[in-house]
Amino acid sequence: MVAINENYLKLKAGYLFPEIGRRVKAYAESHPDAAIIKLGIGDVTEPLPEACRSAMIKAVEEMGDRATFKGYGPEQGYGWLREAIAANDFQSRGCDIDASEIFVSDGGKCDTGNILDIFGNDNTIAVTDPVYPVYVDTNVMAGNTGEVSENGQYGGLRYLPITADNNFTVTLPEDKVDLIYLCFPNNPTGATASKADLKVWVDYARANDAIILFDAAYEAYITDDDIPHSIYEIEGARECAIEFRSFSKNAGFTGTRCACTVVPKSLKRKASDGTEVMLHQLWNRRQSTKFNGVSYIVQRGAEAVYSPEGKAQIKALIEFYLENAQIIRQQLSNAGIAVYGGIHAPYIWVKTPDGLSSWDFFDKLLNLCSVVGTPGSGFGAAGEGYFRISAFNSRANVEDAMARITSKFKA
């Protein structure tokens, strides 16, 4: 008899976004004339920057010439892209990160799940609540949790609430944990962490021999020079942190797929026999075994992000989405709805009005306004009573959606 991975059976019925899709599909079928505006999932809408497109077109042409054709590339990514990432994203901010410590991949979502391959099953794991669901679900799949409770929390995980009550800051766990997931600017709340905030976590991790898994997918949206873009801006982070980056939300690569993970060579932990092991070595072995690398064409497009033209075009993209976020914040506030985030992030975290549950508010927006958002409870128990709205859409759709909402919810 074949044994299956029964950890999958612990997962709550339906991943958050498929359930949203199911409800939207049912509504669309019963309202065929409705012009549905989707401000739910964090998918970008604007075209790839011209610099990236041009670089990819050139790379395609190279693939048509035997002299410049590329087959399998290095699993870790081409050196020229890793050098560009190191210089522009880290060294320019004073971070001591070398190109050899960067691994190019096909997505931050993939890496935050795959990173569990290099860790054992007896770690105590802390996640924020609300949380990006992938962090939790991949731990469930890996067998790192118990069963799910009625409020949606899994046994074996340490949940760290971040809500308006604590100003969306993460409080250190009372007991010792081993792996800590942090995401700033935060998905879904849009909250940020100061250098002082992150220093507390780095000090905790070093004191407790813990490792921080730091998701910096939205760092490009930071507009305040005092807010760190990388965990490695904090002294000591090289000894306790792995960072995940992505080209999806800054350069629009959600459909193109390119990201990177940083595993410093100074990040070491002991095996059960007391031998000191470099986690860089383990991740390199994992990637070399299970991953064939990102395509040459896509990596050339990612490299163009760091060209003068690419930087200017991406800056314009970020400003466009942040202007969308400002419109959403302002219009919802005018309607008497409490809003958070949307300043250094493309997400607006909404307090549901009139005591509505997050799914009830989802249904109300869909049925009254033909607008789709994301129920906060889908991100964890502490997300109940909140709702995420994404600024990723056209200006016309954002303005139309806000006009519909404010006409139904008036202060």
Side-chain angles (χ1 to χ4, degrees):
M1 178 179 175
V2 174
I4 63 171
N5 182 353
E6 296 192 11
N7 292 307
Y8 279 69
L9 304 181
K10 299 177 187 175
L11 293 168
K12 290 181 290 184
Y15 180 62
L16 172 62
F17 297 113
E19 173 60 18
I20 290 173
R22 185 191 68 79
R23 297 193 186 201
V24 173
K25 180 181 178 182
Y27 175 78
E29 289 174 349
S30 61
H31 300 78
D33 296 327
I36 300 173
I37 298 176
K38 297 180 180 180
L39 299 175
I41 65 172
D43 195 2
V44 297
T45 58
E46 304 310 294
L48 285 172
E50 182 180 355
C52 300
R53 300 197 309 270
S54 297
M56 285 189 269
I57 290 169
K58 181 181 178 182
V60 169
E61 293 298 327
E62 291 178 30
M63 297 296 275
D65 186 329
R66 180 181 291 274
T68 53
F69 172 80
K70 298 290 190 299
Y72 288 123
E75 295 91 347
Q76 302 81 5
Y78 285 100
W80 35 262
L81 178 55
R82 298 165 83 192
E83 291 283 356
I85 294 170
N88 288 275
D89 290 342
F90 296 102
Q91 294 164 7
S92 66
R93 297 187 181 281
C95 303
D96 181 20
I97 296 297
D98 185 75
S100 64
E101 298 173 311
I102 295 170
F103 296 80
V104 178
S105 77
D106 58 350
K109 176 181 179 179
C110 306
D111 284 358
T112 56
N114 292 334
I115 198 69
L116 294 175
D117 282 4
I118 69 172
F119 295 110
N121 292 109
D122 53 355
N123 290 304
T124 303
I125 298 162
V127 297
T128 58
D129 185 8
V131 65
Y132 180 42
V134 172
Y135 308 157
V136 172
D137 288 356
T138 51
N139 273 286
V140 176
M141 294 171 179
N144 294 336
T145 74
E147 299 293 336
V148 65
S149 67
E150 290 184 0
N151 69 353
Q153 294 186 335
Y154 285 91
L157 295 183
R158 300 291 188 274
Y159 288 88
L160 310 174
I162 49 173
T163 67
D165 292 337
N166 62 11
N167 199 31
F168 299 101
T169 57
V170 190
T171 304
L172 292 174
E174 295 180 358
D175 53 351
K176 180 183 182 301
V177 299
D178 302 305
L179 297 178
I180 306 157
Y181 287 84
L182 295 179
C183 174
F184 290 105
N186 185 253
N187 177 16
T189 68
T192 57
S194 67
K195 289 184 179 179
D197 293 333
L198 293 183
K199 182 66 164 60
V200 168
W201 281 102
V202 168
D203 289 347
Y204 172 90
R206 296 183 71 185
N208 290 276
D209 203 29
I211 291 176
I212 297 170
L213 303 176
F214 191 77
D215 190 342
Y218 300 95
E219 60 79 27
Y221 291 83
I222 295 172
T223 58
D224 186 335
D225 292 338
D226 292 332
I227 297 175
H229 289 248
S230 168
I231 190 73
Y232 301 118
E233 293 181 48
I234 311 303
E235 183 181 0
R238 282 185 53 88
E239 283 69 51
C240 67
I242 294 172
E243 181 165 305
F244 307 93
R245 291 250 174 162
S246 175
F247 291 93
S248 286
K249 306 304 167 65
N250 62 342
F253 276 48
T254 54
T256 308
R257 312 309 302 147
C258 196
C260 68
T261 291
V262 182
V263 186
K265 293 179 180 178
S266 52
L267 179 56
K268 303 174 183 179
R269 290 298 182 269
K270 291 183 178 179
S272 57
D273 64 0
T275 304
E276 195 170 60
V277 178
M278 291 172 55
L279 296 191
H280 180 279
Q281 178 182 354
L282 299 184
W283 184 244
N284 186 61
R285 186 68 169 87
R286 190 269 172 203
Q287 292 297 83
S288 298
T289 302
K290 290 189 174 185
F291 185 58
N292 266 341
V294 176
S295 80
Y296 171 74
I297 297 165
V298 169
Q299 290 193 61
R300 280 300 186 192
E303 180 192 30
V305 165
Y306 302 106
S307 68
E309 297 82 5
K311 289 180 179 179
Q313 291 159 16
I314 286 168
K315 181 175 183 291
L317 265 182
I318 298 297
E319 290 175 349
F320 174 81
Y321 289 128
L322 284 176
E323 287 170 5
N324 278 353
Q326 180 57 35
I327 291 170
I328 295 169
R329 281 180 54 89
Q330 188 63 55
Q331 292 300 312
L332 294 182
S333 296
N334 290 345
I337 299 175
V339 295
Y340 308 92
I343 298 175
H344 303 291
Y347 298 125
I348 295 83
W349 192 237
V350 177
K351 181 66 177 172
T352 57
D354 305 321
L356 290 172
S357 73
S358 55
W359 276 108
D360 284 344
F361 187 59
F362 172 91
D363 289 333
K364 191 168 184 177
L365 274 189
L366 182 59
N367 286 281
L368 288 181
C369 309
S370 298
V371 173
V372 179
T374 310
S377 61
F379 297 100
E384 181 53 74
Y386 291 92
F387 196 80
R388 194 189 75 174
I389 295 180
S390 169
F392 291 126
N393 217 306
S394 67
R395 182 60 46 79
N397 277 350
V398 166
E399 291 177 342
D400 189 359
M402 291 305 104
R404 297 182 195 181
I405 293 173
T406 53
S407 70
K408 302 295 182 181
F409 298 86
K410 297 180 179 179

